[in-house]
Amino acid sequence: MQENLNTQNVEPHNEAALEPVEELSLPDLSDEAVARINDLEAEIATLKDQYLRSLADLENLRRRSQEDVAAAHKYAINKFLLEMLPVKDSLEMAVQDQSGQFDNIKFGVDLTLKQLVAAFEKSQISEINPLGQRLDPHQHAAMSMEESDAEAGTVIRVLQKGYLVAERVLRPAMVVVAKEKA
């Protein structure tokens, strides 16, 4: 029985693999049986075509999804950068100012800071300014401890503000924490 096995290596999804190896000689069949066999062979051919088309569609969908994910990673920062360009333009104008009028320069820097804050808000970047709050190790980095009248573990000074991006810590706030007086 093993001598009739097809020993060729067949790759999956290969149309040749779905073709019969050799014609089988069948006993004389009734017209009804032959018609039924022909119908089944037609149905098999249709299902085979649908299967191959589905495989091709699935492969195309996988490839397009990979391309979309790659493009999203590559261009995700574009929106934020478009918000930052006016800030850069304003800072360049401030640097080029030769008037020597410090009040005007300070006013321009203040406007530039407002542009930056607006860009941060549009990009869901918010400040962590924990002055007076309990130390939260998920959002704060305690740099030192000082004796204070405040409750132990309370932030008494912020050395550097922290930032969140859509509820995720981008940079923890660097803080000084109160400890009990000795």
Side-chain angles (χ1 to χ4, degrees):
M1 201 164 173
Q2 284 188 330
E3 59 196 32
N4 290 337
L5 290 177
N6 185 355
T7 58
Q8 295 176 344
N9 289 335
V10 178
E11 294 180 18
H13 317 301
N14 185 349
E15 285 190 40
L18 299 175
E19 297 297 326
V21 175
E22 59 184 64
E23 284 293 322
L24 298 175
S25 61
L26 298 174
D28 289 336
L29 299 173
S30 68
D31 290 341
E32 185 179 300
V34 170
R36 176 74 176 139
I37 290 172
N38 289 339
D39 289 345
L40 290 174
E41 286 178 347
E43 186 177 344
I44 288 171
T46 301
L47 291 173
K48 177 180 153 186
D49 182 60
Q50 289 175 351
Y51 169 74
L52 293 174
R53 288 178 188 274
S54 295
L55 281 178
D57 288 345
L58 187 61
E59 182 62 25
N60 288 338
L61 179 63
R62 185 192 61 76
R63 181 186 45 78
R64 279 193 305 268
S65 295
Q66 284 178 337
E67 290 171 359
D68 290 346
V69 167
H73 285 293
K74 185 175 182 180
Y75 300 112
I77 195 154
N78 280 7
K79 183 179 175 185
F80 179 68
L81 292 177
L82 286 172
E83 297 294 330
M84 296 306 299
L85 290 177
V87 175
K88 181 183 182 295
D89 295 339
S90 295
L91 288 172
E92 286 174 345
M93 288 183 354
V95 168
Q96 292 173 357
D97 185 281
Q98 299 291 325
S99 69
Q101 297 177 353
F102 294 109
D103 289 336
N104 288 344
I105 293 174
K106 184 178 179 185
F107 179 75
V109 170
D110 186 50
L111 288 177
T112 303
L113 179 60
K114 288 178 183 176
Q115 285 178 322
L116 182 62
V117 168
F120 277 14
E121 287 173 359
K122 287 182 183 178
S123 299
Q124 297 181 334
I125 299 172
S126 58
E127 287 183 357
I128 301 172
N129 191 357
L131 188 61
Q133 298 175 4
R134 296 279 304 157
L135 178 70
D136 178 356
H138 299 290
Q139 293 189 356
H140 313 144
M143 304 310 292
S144 66
M145 297 180 79
E146 291 180 4
E147 291 182 359
S148 172
D149 292 332
E151 182 182 342
T154 302
V155 175
I156 57 173
R157 202 167 60 231
V158 177
L159 302 174
Q160 186 179 61
K161 293 178 186 175
Y163 291 91
L164 298 171
V165 176
E167 306 299 324
R168 182 181 285 177
V169 176
L170 177 64
R171 179 180 81 188
M174 290 194 288
V175 298
V176 176
V177 180
K179 69 177 181 179
E180 291 180 16
K181 289 186 177 182

